[in-house]
Amino acid sequence: MKNYYLFLASMLLICNVSVAQYQVSTEVQPKNALLEEFTGINCGNCPDAHKIVANLLLAQEHTVYAIAIHSGYYASPFPDQPDFRTEEGETLDATFVAGSGYPCGMINRHIFAGSIPIMSRSNWTLCAKEIHQEDAPVNLYVTATYSAADAQLSVHVEGYYTSDVDAEQNLLTVALTQNNIKGPQSGGGVGSDYVHQHMLRDYLTPLWGDTISDCTAGTYFTKDYTYTVPEYINDVAVEPAELEVIVFIANDKTDVLNVTGVKPPCEGLELPLAAEISAYRIPVQGTYGFNFYELYLRNKSNETLTSAQFDVTVNGTTMQCPWEGEIAPLATSYIKVPVDQASLIETSNDYSIQLTAVNGEAYDGNTIDGTFRGPAVSTPKTLIELRTDLYADENTWCIKDADGNIIYNYGPYETNLKEVYNEIAELEADKTYCFEVTDAWANGVQSPRGYFKLYDDSNGLVAQQLEITGHGYRSFFTTSATAGINKLAMSGDFAVSYNKSAREINITPASAGNDYAVAAYNLSGVLMAQGNNITAIPVTSKGAYIIKITTGNDDTQIFKIITN
């Protein structure tokens, strides 16, 4: 069943061995979290669980590690479907799942409530946070290398006990997972092109691990493994460049004490120059106004990426935007693509970003596209109302300029206290800014639900977000409307003003008798009023409005008005 064999480098290394030869840390560290997710290709709710895992891993890289175990009823393939199951996965399913509904999972195989470690996906993040607040009694360090010459995966594991463990022995497990496997997935919406991540393929150890017999503070151990990587497992191709090694140590079959992982470099594997872009964890949504776009750039080759070229198109205008940096083979990095788009942004905007060159060579890469609204309008003095949840220490609240520099930091706010705070920002006029809230664990400000609201200096509502989910949210605004201007906007042809007593926006043409069309939009881009030659628009609530006036010769003028 297995094609692995173990070389015991040294099981117990104490006293007479130099500490300098070890790479594993001896400092007490927080415990990492292992998420073992039970999933299946015929489970319609599983894609939602996959998103939770993806967000958690993106937010807590090197803190949370995942294994997607295809097992049980929902993983049983139909005749025309691939078989992603493993014998070990079926054993894990029979041992732990015990009839629980899919998708489900375990965090460190720990029992948080009830009698079994299995829990629903809604609890994964909270339990992973709870685990990470504990000190790990044992530290782990792993390196791995794949050699294409003989298809050998070599894995080196080191461990160090920072404290005594109340057990006669521990069990060390080394699992092999694979990313980016295309296949069917109920609820995925893309047929057989669904991309499966962190899929369990095999174990380099027995399922329940190899024995570590001395679990006392100050003890080191090392183990080395060699594994022959097959071309296929259950007729599903094994791609060496997509493999990941997950190493964890447990008291027994339950209670994982710590976990780590590594993506092995591939020596001698011929991988042509290739790359792929994906959206940043806080996507472009609602309003936008940065002088750059944030992306993840994945290097799919065994050559270091040092440059890339992008075609960025905003409202039909395409700009060639370069990037320079360094991304190791088979690695993924966060990048910024600078773009001069301020003059192109309108009330409603279409954008696309296409990868067109890597390392100086033309490349037909993938494209990211979408829509966004132009920034809202505020005054240089902007008022902020925000409400925290019980995990305020996981959130950051700040204001950034158009180049992404932090201008104001708010907080840190007290944890375990759902509270409303009022802050002030004194900003420069005629600038674009971003109010940003982020969440370190990618589960938003939801316990209970928090929010933020932005007001101008006349207490007019500029922007608000009442549902902060995932990694966070951004609202962009300009300070082009000062206290003296926000009641009157003028051009050579029209004057647009706000009559507070009548609660209406007035439009006054410079010359009588000229025909013109008017469209008024609120902050969310919703059409509030439309007509020809109208001179007054009723306003039912305070806030920012966009007034679009088009004359007979198709000349369009845009006015921004803040009401209070």
Side-chain angles (χ1 to χ4, degrees):
M1 180 184 72
K2 292 292 181 189
N3 58 352
Y4 76 88
Y5 53 94
L6 165 66
F7 294 98
L8 181 59
S10 61
M11 196 101 167
L12 303 172
L13 297 172
I14 56 175
C15 299
N16 59 340
V17 181
S18 171
V19 174
Q21 65 184 288
Y22 297 106
Q23 298 298 313
V24 63
S25 173
T26 59
E27 300 295 325
V28 176
Q29 299 175 340
K31 185 184 293 186
N32 291 334
L34 171 65
L35 169 51
E36 292 172 284
E37 172 196 9
F38 292 94
T39 187
I41 55 178
N42 295 308
C43 164
N45 290 324
C46 284
D48 180 63
H50 301 162
K51 291 177 183 177
I52 294 173
V53 176
N55 279 333
L56 194 51
L57 295 178
L58 191 59
Q60 288 291 323
E61 187 179 13
H62 309 307
T63 296
V64 179
Y65 296 85
I67 301 176
I69 303 166
H70 287 251
S71 62
Y73 172 80
Y74 292 103
S76 300
F78 298 138
D80 60 340
Q81 291 180 327
D83 190 353
F84 293 149
R85 296 173 299 174
T86 61
E87 183 176 335
E88 295 87 351
E90 293 299 315
T91 301
L92 289 169
D93 188 287
T95 303
F96 293 114
V97 175
S100 300
Y102 270 35
C104 60
M106 303 182 289
I107 300 295
N108 285 41
R109 299 183 182 176
H110 181 73
I111 298 175
F112 291 87
S115 59
I116 60 174
I118 291 294
M119 66 184 75
S120 69
R121 62 190 183 275
S122 62
N123 294 318
W124 293 349
T125 300
L126 288 176
C127 290
K129 288 192 291 186
E130 184 175 330
I131 285 291
H132 193 56
Q133 291 169 358
E134 301 176 10
D135 289 336
V138 55
N139 296 333
L140 294 173
Y141 173 82
V142 59
T143 58
T145 304
Y146 172 79
S147 172
D150 53 7
Q152 296 294 297
L153 176 66
S154 300
V155 177
H156 174 71
V157 181
E158 296 179 7
Y160 176 80
Y161 282 90
T162 59
S163 63
D164 293 339
V165 173
D166 186 18
E168 292 184 1
Q169 63 182 29
N170 285 165
L171 296 175
L172 180 73
T173 301
V174 181
L176 188 66
T177 64
Q178 183 175 335
N179 294 311
N180 298 304
I181 299 176
K182 282 191 175 183
Q185 178 62 64
S186 295
V190 291
S192 293
D193 288 329
Y194 190 87
V195 181
H196 295 271
Q197 306 288 0
H198 321 293
M199 185 187 297
L200 175 64
R201 304 312 311 273
D202 208 346
Y203 286 87
L204 278 66
T205 59
L207 171 60
W208 303 113
D210 284 324
T211 300
I212 305 298
S213 57
D214 191 346
C215 312
T216 57
T219 301
Y220 290 88
F221 66 83
T222 68
K223 280 183 175 287
D224 291 279
Y225 301 87
T226 301
Y227 174 88
T228 301
V229 178
E231 292 186 21
Y232 295 90
I233 297 176
N234 284 354
D235 296 324
V236 177
V238 179
E239 299 292 345
E242 300 290 356
L243 296 178
E244 186 170 2
V245 175
I246 304 295
V247 178
F248 59 95
I249 189 166
N251 263 338
D252 190 18
K253 294 180 180 180
T254 57
D255 282 321
V256 171
L257 303 176
N258 212 350
V259 59
T260 190
V262 67
K263 295 179 180 179
C266 297
E267 296 178 351
L269 187 65
E270 293 299 325
L271 297 172
L273 190 61
E276 185 178 53
I277 58 174
S278 56
Y280 182 57
R281 60 186 181 183
I282 302 181
V284 175
Q285 58 186 346
T287 55
Y288 196 75
F290 278 146
N291 296 327
F292 56 85
Y293 286 95
E294 296 163 294
L295 303 172
Y296 294 108
L297 178 57
R298 181 182 175 221
N299 183 358
K300 301 172 69 175
S301 74
N302 52 10
E303 177 181 341
T304 300
L305 287 188
T306 57
S307 67
Q309 186 87 13
F310 299 90
D311 277 358
V312 180
T313 302
V314 179
N315 296 329
T317 298
T318 300
M319 298 156 281
Q320 284 72 47
C321 302
W323 167 86
E324 291 184 352
E326 186 173 303
I327 302 177
L330 305 180
T332 299
S333 291
Y334 160 85
I335 68 169
K336 284 184 178 181
V337 180
V339 57
D340 184 10
Q341 65 174 0
S343 62
L344 303 175
I345 293 179
E346 301 173 356
T347 303
S348 180
N349 306 273
D350 298 308
Y351 80 98
S352 67
I353 307 167
Q354 182 183 13
L355 177 62
T356 59
V358 289
N359 285 5
E361 297 182 18
Y363 183 70
D364 186 16
N366 65 311
T367 300
I368 294 174
D369 56 25
T371 62
F372 64 89
R373 302 189 307 275
V377 184
S378 186
T379 51
K381 183 179 181 180
T382 296
L383 313 176
I384 301 128
E385 177 187 323
L386 60 90
R387 186 179 192 267
T388 63
D389 67 3
L390 298 176
Y391 301 94
D393 57 324
E394 298 170 9
N395 303 132
T396 63
W397 310 77
C398 69
I399 289 180
K400 296 180 177 180
D401 64 17
D403 294 322
N405 301 309
I406 295 177
I407 306 302
Y408 280 94
N409 259 323
Y410 300 104
Y413 300 112
E414 188 176 347
T415 59
N416 298 316
L417 179 66
K418 47 188 179 182
E419 187 61 79
V420 175
Y421 298 91
N422 290 282
E423 307 283 5
I424 296 176
E426 298 283 355
L427 304 167
E428 295 184 46
D430 301 316
K431 299 285 186 180
T432 296
Y433 294 95
C434 168
F435 183 81
E436 176 184 277
V437 53
T438 63
D439 185 83
W441 284 86
N443 62 340
V445 187
Q446 291 286 307
S447 302
R449 188 173 68 180
Y451 66 83
F452 69 80
K453 299 179 181 181
L454 308 182
Y455 298 91
D456 62 29
D457 62 5
S458 298
N459 289 317
L461 182 65
V462 173
Q464 65 179 0
Q465 185 60 27
L466 304 180
E467 186 78 13
I468 304 169
T469 60
H471 296 274
Y473 198 87
R474 291 166 168 167
S475 280
F476 292 81
F477 60 96
T478 64
T479 53
S480 58
T482 65
I485 297 178
N486 67 8
K487 302 290 173 47
L488 179 66
M490 300 183 64
S491 70
D493 301 315
F494 294 92
V496 179
S497 60
Y498 174 57
N499 186 329
K500 186 173 182 178
S501 60
R503 299 195 65 80
E504 64 182 20
I505 296 173
N506 298 131
I507 300 171
T508 306
S511 302
N514 288 344
D515 290 329
Y516 57 91
V518 175
Y521 302 85
N522 69 5
L523 188 65
S524 300
V526 176
L527 183 66
M528 305 299 294
Q530 189 175 26
N532 294 322
N533 300 329
I534 60 178
T535 59
I537 301 171
V539 175
T540 58
S541 61
K542 59 187 178 182
Y545 294 84
I546 304 296
I547 311 300
K548 180 179 178 181
I549 301 177
T550 304
T551 59
N553 57 5
D554 291 329
D555 178 33
T556 298
Q557 299 173 50
I558 303 294
F559 300 86
K560 300 177 181 179
I561 289 292
I562 293 179
T563 66
N564 53 46

